[in-house]
Amino acid sequence: MSSRTPSPLARSERLARSPVVRRGGQWWLVAGSGSILATHPTFTGELDRFAAAMDAADQAIADLRSQQADPPTPHPGRQR
């Protein structure tokens, strides 16, 4: 594992139910017959961008759920 701050996928996590896994900062293609390291910079860059988009979407959903769980805030000047 890297000594830098781990990304959300640095724990050896599968990317969106795909055959792609990030381990120790490297992308791997995983199949039942084995794994191969992905080294093409364009491909791994796209995987990084996709992982970042997935993380942002997950965070947005968590934020929405948190807002729904919070009681509504009163609006000044409105009476019920």
Side-chain angles (χ1 to χ4, degrees):
M1 287 288 182
S2 171
S3 62
R4 62 187 172 86
T5 304
S7 73
L9 294 175
R11 298 180 305 273
S12 184
E13 206 172 295
R14 189 168 300 272
L15 180 60
R17 292 182 263 160
S18 72
V20 180
V21 175
R22 187 164 189 174
R23 293 182 191 137
Q26 296 178 312
W27 291 105
W28 292 82
L29 305 175
V30 180
S33 58
S35 302
I36 186 168
L37 178 62
T39 59
H40 192 278
T42 301
F43 180 60
T44 56
E46 285 299 313
L47 291 172
D48 288 336
R49 283 185 282 285
F50 184 68
M54 292 292 295
D55 290 341
D58 288 344
Q59 185 60 52
I61 290 169
D63 292 346
L64 286 172
R65 287 182 177 157
S66 174
Q67 289 173 5
Q68 290 174 347
D70 292 340
T73 56
H75 296 284
R78 285 190 184 173
Q79 296 181 357
R80 294 192 177 214

